Amino acid sequence: MEKKRLGNSDMDITRIGLGAWAIGGSWRWGWGHQDEKDSIRTIHKALDSGINWIDTAPAYGLGTSEKVIGKALKERNDKPYIFTKCGILWDNKGKAWQEISRKTILKEIDESLTRLGVDVIDLYQIHWPNPDKNIEEAWETLAEIKEQGKVRYIGVSNFSVEQLKRAEKIAPITSLQPPYSILRRDIEKEILPHCQEKNIGVIVYSPMASGLLTGKVTEEWVASLPDDDWRKQADDFRQPRLARNLALVEILRDIAKKHNSTIAETAIAWTLKHPAVTAAIVGMRRPDQVDGVTGAPGVQLDNEDLERIETFIKQNP
């Protein structure tokens, strides 16, 4: 599978990586119940397909995602790059909140190493810049953890350009993780150009818009979602936005047929076309989902394809 160097690191990562949000199972921002055996089989199949990195976070399932990844990797000799995060905490009742500070991060890093069953994490990221006033303290702490050898590289997620510049004064940023898809393009104006200029790798999340751009979503499908799946109440999955989004999917369906790809691969390929984007995080929770996304880096969208998408977006803002 095609690879690209991640920012200022020595890591050549595949253009898509395994996103481990959904395998966290049921929690405040989860997608409902998840079978652990399915998760482990999915991880193995993704690695067998050539994917060489996994992105997770302690908060995904309140520790569950990292633990499952740790179990899955014990069964393999080949080890992928592991990317995880800090900055979302929870209590014993399952209530979660965003918080970054030196004290919390020093505790989180050791807990993540234990759950993952590794001695060093390849990329450690600030999950959310909250509270904003603690960004400098948090980034200084990540730089210290890197010096200690607990992590190889440090990055951020969901940062603005102004917040990136504040962190850059303290220590180099290896990567940024922002949301990016055909339906969410706000990073194109300032964030992607800044990352390109500063050699900050960009690994985008939600390239399929949380499943909307896969071709599997219908109004009936949304209605059938479990109550603990946050998408059931999300505006993009409800009318009138849902009808507009499904109309876009039909355009992607035509383009996918042209390139002998899946709708999901076409949506992912659209994000990978931007020169500032290093790779995309692709959520997978069952082994069969792997087959429908691994061809994304090979889909070469042409000007006609891109113009069709642009025209639709302009006509249906």
Side-chain angles (χ1 to χ4, degrees), residues 306-317:
L306 300 176
E307 286 173 9
R308 285 190 69 186
I309 294 170
E310 289 298 312
T311 298
F312 177 87
I313 294 298
K314 289 177 181 177
Q315 293 176 347
N316 301 273

Side-chain angles (χ1 to χ4, degrees), residues 6-9 11 123-126 135 139-140 142-143 146 152-178 191 194-203 278:
L6 180 64
N8 58 30
S9 77
M11 296 186 290
L123 178 68
Y124 198 54
Q125 306 154 97
I126 294 177
I135 285 176
W139 194 242
E140 287 173 357
L142 261 67
K146 182 175 182 289
R152 297 180 62 218
Y153 297 101
I154 53 177
V156 298
S157 180
N158 302 299
F159 269 46
S160 67
V161 169
E162 183 270 334
Q163 291 167 332
L164 289 170
K165 289 178 178 178
R166 286 164 56 189
E168 288 166 354
K169 293 178 181 179
I170 297 168
I173 300 171
T174 289
S175 66
L176 168 70
Q177 185 179 135
I191 291 176
H194 178 82
C195 290
Q196 223 174 344
E197 178 186 350
K198 298 294 184 178
N199 192 29
I200 297 172
V202 178
I203 47 178
T278 309

